[in-house]
Amino acid sequence: MNAQASAVSLKGVSKSFRAGVTALTGIDLDVRPREFVSLIGPSGCGKSTLLRIIGDLIEPTTGTVEVNGKSAHQARLDHDYGIVFQEAVLYDWRTVAKNIVLPLELLRWDRGRRNARVKELLELVELEGFADHHPWQLSGGMQQRVSIARALSFDPALLLMDEPFGALDEMTRERLNMELLRIWEASGSTIVFVTHSIPEAVFLSTRVAVMSARPGRIAGIVEVDLPQPRGGRTREEPRFFELVTEVRERLAAGGADLVAEEPEVAEEAL
Amino acid sequence: MASIAVEGPAQPRISAAAGWAKRVLLVLAGLAVFWGIWEGYRWIGERLGITWPFRVDEINMPHIHEMLWTLTKPLQPGGPALLTEEWHWALFTGKEALVGFLLGGAIGFVLAVVLAHSTVLRRGLLPYIVVSQTVPILAVAPMVVVGLGTKGVQPWVAVAVIAAYLTFFPVAVNTLRGLMSPDPRALELMRSYAADRRAVLWKLRLPASLPFVFSALKISATASVIGAIIGETPASIQNGLGGAIVNFNQYYSTAPERLWATNIVCAVLGLFFFAVVLIAERLVLKRAPEHVA
Amino acid sequence: MSTAVIQRRALEWLPALVVFALGIGLWQGLVAAFHVQEFLLPKPTVIARTFWEERGSLWHAGFYTFKEALGGFALGSGLGILAALLFAAFRPLGTAFMPFAVAANAVPIIAFAPIMNDWFGLLNPFSKMAIAAVLCFFPVLINTLRGLTSVDPRSIELMRSYAAGQGSLFRKVRIPSSLPHLFTGLKIASVLSMIGAIVGEYFGGPTDALGVTILNASSYTNFPVAWAGIVVASAFGILFYAAVALAERLATSWEPSRRDFRAE
C-alpha cells in the first residue's frame, strides 16, 4: 500500500435511487491519509448517502470508490473503517464495556487482548468508571463517546462519522469536538465527518467539502489553514470567522436556502 | 433509549425487603376485598332473594371457607384428604402442560428463526400460523387422543401435544417480531463490521428478541395449562384436573364446593407457571425501564 | 391501483397459495396412501362434500355459537374498556388493581365454564356468553390501560401549557393514542371469545350449537361432520378476527403503517 495513496478516492460517483431520485452526481474527492474532511450541506444534498457509499453500505450507480487502495467492498470486508451514527446505536442488553468490545468479538480477538483494548479505549474517551453501566444509564454525550470508542476498537485507518454530535447540546458538542481532535491526533486515523454545523466543520477539519442539493454534488472545497493543535482559543481567532464566512457563502451560492425534496435516508434493502 | 444522565446506578428509595412486604400486603388486601365482595353479595343475595343474573344460594355460591374446608376432607370415606388427590391431579396435569409448553415453545422459536431469514417461507407460512389460532383444537382433542392411541401413544402425551399446539403460536409470532425488531441503523452497523448472517443472528437479533420472547412465554404458560386441563376433559382422562372438573361437575348439586376447590387448584397451577416465567424474565432480562405517564 | 401494484401484491400472496395447494394435496395423498387414517382424518374431498351436504345445519349451528361469542365479546370488551378508563382516571386504583388483572389473566378461566353452565343453565346461551365475556375482559383491560397510560410526557406537557383539563387531556390525547393498544386487545378477545363459546358448549349445551355438534359427531365417530364443523368454527373465527382488524385499519388509518412482519 502506497503511503502517498489517498485514504479515500472517489471518481465520478453518482447515485440514483429506484424512484428516479438522483441523490448524488459527479462526485470527485480525494482524502489524504490522516486528513480530517468534513462534508457539509443542506438537507437532501446526499452527504449521508456519500458517507455510506464510502462505507460500502450503499452501492454507487456509477463511478469508482477506493478506500485504502482497495475497493470499498474489500475495505469493508477487511474492517478498514469504523462508523459512528447520529444515534449511538448501543445495545441495551450489553454493558458499556461489552458494547465497545462487540466488533472485537466479531473479529475473534482472544479475550485477554479484547479486555486490554477495552480498558485503553475507556481511558481514551474518559469513561473509566462506567464499564459496567448500561446504555440507558448514560447521558446522550456519554453514549456517543461509547459509540466512538467502539468505532475505534479495532484501530481502523478510517473513521466515518454521520452527524455524530447532531443530537447533543452546544456545550457538550464543543467539548466532544475537542475530544475528537485529541482522539484523532492520538490514533492517527483519517476522518470523514458529515455535519450540519458550519463552526463545527471549520473547527475540526483540515478541509471542508461544501455540498449543494438537487442534484447532490460537491460545490467547492475550503482549505482550513488554522494551526494545529486547535483549542478553545481557535474559535475566537479572526481567521476562524473568515473561514466560517467563506463556507457559509459557498453554501449560499450552492443554493443552500432551497428546501430539498429528496429523502436523505438510504432506501436500499439491507 | 433514555438520555438521563446518572452518575451511578440509581439508588432505590425503599429497600428491597420493604418493597416485597408492600407487595405481599397488597395481595392480601386484594384477596380480602374479593372475599368481602363474594360473601357480601351472597349475604345480600340470600336476604333479597336475587335470581338475576343467577340465583344466589348455597349451591351457586358456596362459602369460600367451605371451598377451602372441603380440601381437608377425604373424597371417599377412609381415603386421603381431597387436597392430596388434588395435588396428584395437579402434578399430572402440570406434567402435560410442561411438556406441551417446552415442545410448543421450542417449535415456535425455531420456526420463528427460520421465518426471520426467509421472506418466501415467511409469506408462505405466516398466514397459516395465524389461522391456526382460530382452529378450535380443543374440539379435535378426542380425535387426537384416540388417533395417537392407536399408534400406542399414552393419553397424557396426546394432551401434551394439544397444549403444545396452543403455546406454539404466541411464541412463534412474538419471537418473529422480536427477531425483526432491530432498527436499520443497528443492521447497518453490523454490515460495517462485515458480520455474516450467523453473527447478526447471535449478536443482534436473538438478544433483541428476548423481551418479545418472554412476553410470549407468559401467555404460553397460561395457554399450556389451559390446553392440558381442557384437553383432558373430552378424552375423559381421569388422573388430572380436567377429569376432576368433569366428575365434580356431574355431582355439582350434591357437593358444589368440590368443583370450586378444584377450580382454585387450577388457578394456582396457572399462576405457578406464570410466576416461574416471570421470575425467569426478571433474572435474564436487563432492559431500560418502561415509561409510564 | 396500478397494474404494477396489483402484480406486486399478487406476488406477495403467491407463496401462501402454493403452501395451501401443497398442503391440501399432501393431505389428500397421505390419507389415500394410509387407509387406516381415513376414519379419523378424512380426505379433504370427503370433508368438502360433507360440508356441502350439511351446510344448512352447520351454518345454523355456527351462527348460533358465533352469537354467543359476539355477545361475550361485546360484554367483556365493553366492561374492560370502562374499567381501563376508570383506572386511567384514578391512578392509585389502577396501580393497585393491575397486578390482580395480570394474575387473573394467568388463571385458566375457562375451567370455570362448567360453573357458568350451572349458574345460568346449560341450554341458556348466556352461560357461554358469560365465559366468553370473562375471557375477553382481562386482555382488553390490560391492553387498553397500557395504551391510556403510556403517553409521551411531552404531549402531556403540551396540553398542560394550553391549560387543558383532565377531561380534554383524555379526549384529545390519551384516548386517540390508546387506540392501537385497544385493538390489540380486541383482536385477542375476538379469538378468545370463539374459543370460550365452543369450549363452554363442550361442557353441555343445546344440540344446535356448533361445539355440541362437533363433540357429538366425534363421539359417534362421524368424523367427516366433526371436521366440517371445525372448518366452520375456524371460518367464523377468522372472519371475526378479520372484521376487528378491518375496524382497526379504519380507526387508526392515521398511524404510520406498522406492518409487523415486513423486513425493514
Side-chain angles (χ1 to χ4, degrees):
Chain A
M1 215 196 325
N2 190 353
Q4 306 283 43
S6 307
V8 178
S9 172
L10 299 157
K11 289 194 178 36
V13 168
S14 81
K15 178 63 186 171
S16 300
F17 287 111
R18 229 182 320 149
V21 169
T22 304
L24 292 167
T25 175
I27 303 285
D28 289 303
L29 183 66
D30 270 313
V31 180
R32 296 182 290 275
R34 305 183 80 114
E35 268 210 278
F36 195 125
V37 172
S38 286
L39 305 175
I40 190 166
S43 298
C45 70
K47 51 194 193 295
S48 286
T49 309
L50 185 57
L51 197 75
R52 280 168 173 74
I53 287 178
I54 298 174
D56 189 45
L57 297 172
I58 297 181
E59 274 197 31
T61 312
T62 66
T64 58
V65 186
E66 277 193 9
V67 175
N68 259 1
K70 352 175 168 156
S71 71
H73 182 68
Q74 192 58 44
R76 178 170 68 84
L77 295 178
D78 292 346
H79 309 101
D80 281 349
Y81 74 87
I83 189 161
V84 180
F85 298 108
Q86 186 172 22
E87 309 93 8
V89 196
L90 301 176
Y91 296 163
D92 274 342
W93 57 86
R94 286 178 171 242
T95 58
V96 163
K98 293 214 123 233
N99 264 289
I100 294 177
V101 93
L102 174 66
L104 303 179
E105 287 175 9
L106 292 171
L107 282 156
R108 302 190 194 286
W109 282 25
D110 66 69
R111 181 166 302 220
R113 205 175 154 213
R114 290 197 314 237
N115 291 345
R117 181 70 179 146
V118 170
K119 211 158 159 290
E120 265 176 41
L121 290 162
L122 284 169
E123 282 172 19
L124 183 65
V125 298
E126 296 180 352
L127 283 175
E128 291 98 320
F130 294 90
D132 293 323
H133 279 59
H134 280 270
W136 71 81
Q137 296 172 298
L138 304 180
S139 70
M142 294 160 89
Q143 288 180 10
Q144 270 303 31
R145 300 211 308 251
V146 175
S147 176
I148 292 172
R150 178 181 60 191
L152 292 170
S153 58
F154 47 96
D155 206 10
L158 175 64
L159 205 55
L160 300 177
M161 306 181 83
D162 189 0
E163 301 193 53
F165 309 135
L168 306 173
D169 63 85
E170 191 70 23
M171 283 153 303
T172 310
R173 200 172 189 159
E174 285 190 6
R175 201 154 28 92
L176 288 178
N177 282 170
M178 287 296 321
E179 277 200 36
L180 183 58
L181 282 183
R182 183 176 50 81
I183 292 170
W184 174 53
E185 192 85 35
S187 61
S189 42
T190 312
I191 301 189
V192 179
F193 188 92
V194 169
T195 180
H196 260 137
S197 160
I198 304 175
E200 185 175 63
V202 171
F203 180 74
L204 292 172
S205 324
T206 53
R207 279 193 296 158
V208 177
V210 178
M211 297 182 69
S212 56
R214 298 211 282 131
R217 63 194 180 283
I218 296 185
I221 308 234
V222 176
E223 295 273 346
V224 179
D225 54 7
L226 295 166
Q228 301 276 7
R230 302 182 186 163
R233 284 293 147 88
T234 312
R235 293 183 205 270
E236 294 163 14
E237 285 178 27
R239 183 67 187 137
F240 182 79
F241 290 114
E242 282 173 26
L243 287 164
V244 167
T245 310
E246 192 182 334
V247 171
R248 185 173 296 128
E249 283 173 357
R250 291 282 188 113
L251 276 170
D257 48 359
L258 292 173
V259 174
E261 277 170 11
E262 292 92 296
E264 177 76 49
V265 179
E267 282 178 16
E268 304 283 274
L270 288 160
Chain B
M1 286 171 282
S3 302
I4 317 165
V6 178
E7 279 314 307
Q11 296 298 328
R13 274 189 303 180
I14 350 169
S15 71
W20 270 109
K22 218 173 143 220
R23 272 196 212 110
V24 171
L25 236 68
L26 192 64
V27 170
L28 290 177
L31 290 174
V33 166
F34 181 77
W35 184 87
I37 294 176
W38 180 270
E39 298 291 340
Y41 185 77
R42 156 120 186 225
W43 190 84
I44 296 174
E46 281 186 325
R47 297 281 172 285
L48 296 180
I50 295 180
T51 51
W52 193 91
F54 59 86
R55 200 183 146 78
V56 178
D57 55 28
E58 69 275 2
I59 303 286
N60 279 339
M61 284 186 78
H63 285 296
I64 292 190
H65 60 261
E66 279 170 0
M67 298 177 199
L68 297 172
W69 182 240
T70 196
L71 286 170
T72 60
K73 292 190 290 195
L75 193 55
Q76 268 129 9
L82 181 59
L83 188 58
T84 320
E85 305 262 23
E86 296 271 4
W87 171 253
H88 287 120
W89 296 331
L91 279 181
F92 185 83
T93 306
K95 180 177 63 167
E96 294 165 334
L98 182 64
V99 171
F101 179 74
L102 295 173
L103 189 65
I107 294 178
F109 188 80
V110 168
L111 189 62
V113 173
V114 168
L115 291 189
H117 287 97
S118 162
T119 314
V120 171
L121 278 182
R122 193 163 61 233
R123 290 218 188 109
L125 293 179
L126 202 53
Y128 300 104
I129 297 177
V130 174
V131 162
S132 75
Q133 261 325 84
T134 60
V135 173
I137 186 67
L138 299 170
V140 194
M143 297 185 250
V144 171
V145 172
V146 172
L148 289 178
T150 61
K151 299 272 180 269
V153 172
Q154 286 191 297
W156 75 263
V157 175
V159 176
V161 166
I162 293 167
Y165 184 93
L166 284 179
T167 78
F168 118 97
F169 172 74
V171 173
V173 164
N174 270 290
T175 306
L176 183 60
R177 188 176 292 152
L179 289 171
M180 316 218 54
S181 69
D183 76 70
R185 288 284 173 276
L187 288 160
E188 273 191 313
L189 193 67
M190 278 305 201
R191 235 176 131 226
S192 81
Y193 299 144
D196 60 16
R197 289 223 289 201
R198 235 185 65 148
V200 175
L201 176 65
W202 280 102
K203 304 268 185 215
L204 176 59
R205 291 196 192 273
L206 281 177
S209 71
L210 283 182
F212 295 83
V213 171
F214 271 105
S215 76
L217 288 179
K218 282 185 283 195
I219 298 171
S220 293
T222 310
S224 58
V225 172
I226 292 176
I229 293 175
I230 304 294
E232 291 170 0
T233 51
S236 297
I237 295 174
Q238 291 300 313
N239 331 28
L241 291 172
I245 289 182
V246 171
N247 288 340
F248 290 147
N249 191 35
Q250 262 193 302
Y251 301 107
Y252 185 69
S253 32
T254 51
E257 319 80 44
R258 290 202 183 128
L259 182 57
W260 283 96
T262 309
N263 270 342
I264 292 176
V265 174
C266 287
V268 170
L269 184 64
L271 284 170
F272 175 72
F273 268 68
F274 184 78
V276 168
V277 176
L278 203 60
I279 292 173
E281 182 186 35
R282 289 278 161 82
L283 293 175
V284 168
L285 230 49
K286 284 191 180 49
R287 290 287 190 278
E290 234 182 65
H291 211 121
V292 176
Chain C
M1 270 200 289
S2 67
T3 41
V5 176
I6 296 178
Q7 265 185 343
R8 199 150 35 97
R9 287 276 173 83
L11 223 63
E12 274 179 23
W13 280 103
L14 193 61
L17 293 171
V18 168
V19 169
F20 184 75
L22 277 178
I24 293 282
L26 209 66
W27 183 349
Q28 184 92 358
L30 281 179
V31 174
F34 299 101
H35 286 284
V36 71
Q37 296 282 49
E38 193 162 333
F39 83 100
L40 279 181
L41 187 67
K43 293 193 215 147
T45 43
V46 174
I47 296 178
R49 196 171 4 109
T50 316
F51 179 79
W52 183 253
E53 286 166 10
E54 304 288 333
R55 66 191 182 282
S57 60
L58 281 176
W59 161 260
H60 183 84
F63 196 65
Y64 180 89
T65 303
F66 176 68
K67 278 190 292 186
E68 292 171 340
L70 190 61
F73 173 81
L75 185 63
S77 307
L79 289 176
I81 293 173
L82 286 176
L85 287 171
L86 183 72
F87 290 141
F90 300 103
R91 255 356 134 68
L93 212 61
T95 29
F97 189 75
M98 256 309 237
F100 291 106
V102 172
N105 213 24
V107 160
I109 293 175
I110 200 123
F112 288 89
I115 289 183
M116 293 291 159
N117 282 340
D118 295 322
W119 274 5
F120 302 108
L122 265 182
L123 302 177
N124 185 352
F126 191 74
S127 57
K128 320 296 182 287
M129 272 194 227
I131 262 289
V134 179
L135 282 175
C136 294
F137 174 76
F138 291 105
V140 171
L141 164 63
I142 292 172
N143 277 287
T144 309
L145 187 57
R146 189 175 293 149
L148 289 170
T149 55
S150 55
V151 176
D152 187 345
R154 287 171 295 189
S155 268
I156 299 188
E157 286 181 339
L158 189 66
M159 291 301 277
R160 296 252 300 268
S161 80
Y162 299 145
Q166 277 284 44
S168 301
L169 180 64
F170 248 88
R171 271 179 292 121
K172 302 234 186 288
V173 177
R174 288 197 193 278
I175 290 178
S177 65
S178 70
L179 286 180
H181 290 88
L182 169 66
F183 276 104
T184 303
L186 288 180
K187 282 192 284 197
I188 296 172
S190 70
V191 175
L192 289 179
S193 62
M194 275 300 286
I195 293 177
I198 292 183
V199 174
E201 289 168 3
Y202 242 24
F203 290 102
T207 43
D208 53 351
L210 190 58
V212 180
T213 307
I214 296 174
L215 193 59
N216 285 343
S218 66
S219 56
Y220 294 133
T221 66
N222 189 351
F223 292 107
V225 171
W227 280 101
I230 289 173
V231 170
V232 172
S234 303
F236 271 100
I238 296 169
L239 287 174
F240 196 9
Y241 182 91
V244 176
L246 182 64
E248 177 185 31
R249 267 285 189 86
L250 296 173
T252 62
S253 54
W254 45 264
E255 246 233 336
S257 90
R258 279 181 293 127
R259 284 283 126 80
D260 300 63
F261 305 117
R262 193 203 283 161
E264 55 308 308

